[in-house]
Amino acid sequence: MITESEALAKILEAIPKNTTSESLPLLETLNRRCAAQQRATIPLPGFDNSMMDGYAVRAADTLDPSPIAVIGTQPAGPDLQLTIEAPRHAIRIFTGAPLPKGCDAVIMQEDVTVIDNSISCTEPVVPGENIRLQGSDLCSGQILLQPGDLISPGRIGLLASQGLTHLPVYRLPRIAILSTGDELVPPGTAPLLPGQLYNSNGSMIAAMLLQLGLPITELAHTPDTMADTTSTLQRLSEQNDIIILSGGVSVGDKDHVKPALSELGMPPQLWRIKIKPGKPFLFTHRSMPKPLFIFGLPGNPVSTFVTFQLFVRPALLKWCGTPSSDLSPPTATATLSHEVTNPGDRPHYIRGVLQKGQFTASGLQRSDALFALSEANSLLRTNPDSSIEAGNNVTILKL
Ligand code: AMP
Ligand code: MG
């Protein structure tokens, strides 16, 4: 058995740096990773303009309240190329409108009294006030995005402001989900016969993928025979970059995944991790004829969930071009609301609820206990043969 950190390092080492990209319409790049450095081609703002509705003035003219003549109007839109040529002249101006020549400030309309075609300033302005200078936000040539950056709504706005309609992003993997087990039937099947249970891992893995923004090519199932397991794995291998399977990875007579993978020339490169729940987890990969990665998650639903979060999620994120600093699950500090003990010889991931800074285990901590998992929003890792008293600060993984 290897440790969690050894297992994760081995998996991440096998996942190559993603170099395949596709150019997509800007809106379709939301939550994807940028595949090529982007630089500004136009400055922001693109021209000196007014920050307010008011009057473009010479700041020195606003020091006394005697009238200033309004000699024109510059709305937002076409630049009318207006100029203030003489002292005590002003131009009516609106937010975002190009700044007339000869002025050095904009006085807000709230700070003037309008008398016929003149204004009287009640508050003086200083040079530069209420003016947005060209390039003050962004210079031409400035780096906007680096490869690996996550595309957020703010970044889509920034790219649109550059006039872009498309962006290269890393390609997403083709991922198939495979459940194994003669006892499983798909949700929707009725009646449920004695001994049968609904396949919940398939939907749960699919949901975890969707949460990461990853599509699923197929939700497949195989009965517990060597022939079916081998042929299904063979078929999915041809059509996908990644297969995430659950169940059948242990040592029971009906656990055919390991021998089937060996038959396909992909014996597990990693099997059994010192962790609870999730010990029988396996991983294998090959690079020829094309890269293929197979994650074998234990069948018990909580084991499936925990090993996905700890080992599959970072690998998928790396595949998608996420920088290594962003692969780990987010953490938070919490106060333990009750004593937690781990008498076992493996690190134990306790499912729980983080609320108002307090972490509380969420009921039955068994590898099949789906209800407690469904209530949980975080995981607490406890060391083997250890106990943590109530009131202690702990680091938890946020789900
Ligand atoms: P296995 O590793 O195949 O022996 O499965 C371990 C346990 O997980 C058994 O109780 C299975 O019935 C259960 N299990 C396996 N696959 C699934 C699944 N897709 N959905 C729900 N339970 C499953
Ligand atoms: Mg099974």
Side-chain angles (χ1 to χ4, degrees):
M1 260 195 294
I2 66 170
T3 65
E4 302 149 85
S5 50
E6 286 167 337
L8 184 59
K10 212 167 165 186
I11 293 168
L12 291 180
E13 198 186 319
I15 308 279
K17 197 172 156 43
N18 194 339
T19 51
T20 49
S21 63
E22 55 187 342
S23 178
L24 291 183
L26 204 50
L27 269 186
E28 289 174 34
T29 67
L30 183 64
N31 296 328
R32 299 280 292 267
R33 295 277 169 179
C34 173
Q37 189 184 70
Q38 303 292 311
R39 284 180 185 269
T41 54
I42 51 172
L44 272 189
F47 48 89
D48 296 349
N49 69 82
S50 175
M51 208 183 283
M52 296 288 172
D53 290 336
Y55 297 85
V57 291
R58 297 170 179 222
D61 290 347
T62 66
L63 292 171
D64 81 82
S66 57
I68 302 174
V70 179
I71 58 160
T73 299
Q74 172 63 69
D79 187 348
L80 303 178
Q81 308 270 347
L82 300 178
T83 305
I84 295 179
E85 274 160 359
R88 306 211 73 76
H89 279 181
I91 289 171
R92 179 75 168 123
I93 195 163
F94 297 93
T95 306
L99 207 66
K101 288 190 186 61
C103 70
D104 62 5
V106 169
I107 187 163
M108 281 163 51
Q109 61 190 36
E110 292 87 337
D111 290 340
V112 304
T113 311
V114 181
I115 314 146
D116 300 326
N117 279 338
S118 296
I119 53 168
S120 162
C121 302
T122 49
E123 284 282 334
V125 284
V126 295
E129 200 166 331
N130 297 324
I131 288 175
R132 304 191 281 217
L133 289 178
Q134 180 185 53
S136 52
D137 181 16
L138 193 68
C139 300
S140 191
Q142 190 175 327
I143 294 172
L144 305 179
L145 289 178
Q146 295 284 21
D149 281 346
L150 186 67
I151 307 303
S152 61
R155 283 178 164 160
I156 287 190
L158 178 69
L159 296 167
S161 81
Q162 292 292 306
L164 286 186
T165 59
H166 287 69
L167 180 73
V169 289
Y170 289 120
R171 177 172 82 78
L172 295 181
R174 285 165 300 219
I175 309 175
I177 299 171
L178 172 63
S179 56
T180 69
D182 290 336
E183 72 281 26
L184 301 173
V185 292
T189 311
L192 198 60
L193 301 178
Q196 291 185 330
L197 66 147
Y198 289 119
N199 174 3
S200 57
N201 287 348
S203 303
M204 186 170 65
I205 294 169
M208 291 190 285
L209 291 172
L210 294 177
Q211 206 170 38
L212 296 175
L214 297 173
I216 298 126
T217 60
E218 187 176 341
L219 255 170
H221 178 75
T222 174
D224 285 326
T225 69
M226 179 65 182
D228 285 318
T229 309
T230 310
S231 63
T232 310
L233 278 169
Q234 168 71 38
R235 182 176 64 75
L236 295 178
S237 302
E238 285 158 11
Q239 298 159 356
N240 294 280
D241 303 300
I242 296 171
I243 301 171
I244 303 174
L245 64 89
S246 72
V249 294
S250 267
V251 287
D253 291 347
K254 291 283 188 182
D255 292 334
H256 296 295
V257 170
K258 282 174 61 210
L261 286 172
S262 296
E263 180 140 327
L264 295 173
M266 295 184 72
Q269 292 157 346
L270 182 163
W271 179 55
R272 287 185 146 182
I273 302 179
K274 220 171 168 212
I275 181 181
K276 184 184 170 185
K279 185 169 82 173
F281 176 91
L282 72 75
F283 170 74
T284 187
H285 84 288
R286 71 177 183 209
S287 14
M288 297 291 283
K290 62 177 183 59
L292 173 69
F293 304 89
I294 300 182
F295 297 90
L297 278 44
N300 277 307
V302 182
S303 308
T304 305
F305 182 90
V306 169
T307 52
F308 182 98
Q309 296 296 337
L310 297 182
F311 306 113
V312 185
R313 180 181 178 277
L316 296 177
L317 291 179
K318 180 170 179 196
W319 204 106
C320 296
T322 308
S324 52
S325 52
D326 294 345
L327 300 180
S328 310
T331 59
T333 304
T335 310
L336 203 54
S337 69
H338 52 84
E339 187 187 17
V340 165
T341 55
N342 177 4
D345 61 356
R346 287 175 279 156
H348 188 191
Y349 281 83
I350 294 173
R351 287 72 74 191
V353 179
L354 170 69
Q355 200 178 26
K356 295 188 179 146
Q358 287 239 322
F359 177 86
T360 308
S362 63
L364 191 60
Q365 299 290 318
R366 226 167 52 194
S367 63
D368 60 319
L370 254 178
F371 181 64
L373 175 69
S374 76
E375 299 275 283
N377 64 8
S378 46
L379 294 175
L380 169 64
R381 181 188 182 279
T382 58
N383 281 322
D385 195 19
S386 73
S387 91
I388 315 172
E389 282 173 24
N392 274 11
N393 275 349
V394 286
T395 301
I396 53 140
L397 305 181
K398 293 205 287 181
L399 299 173

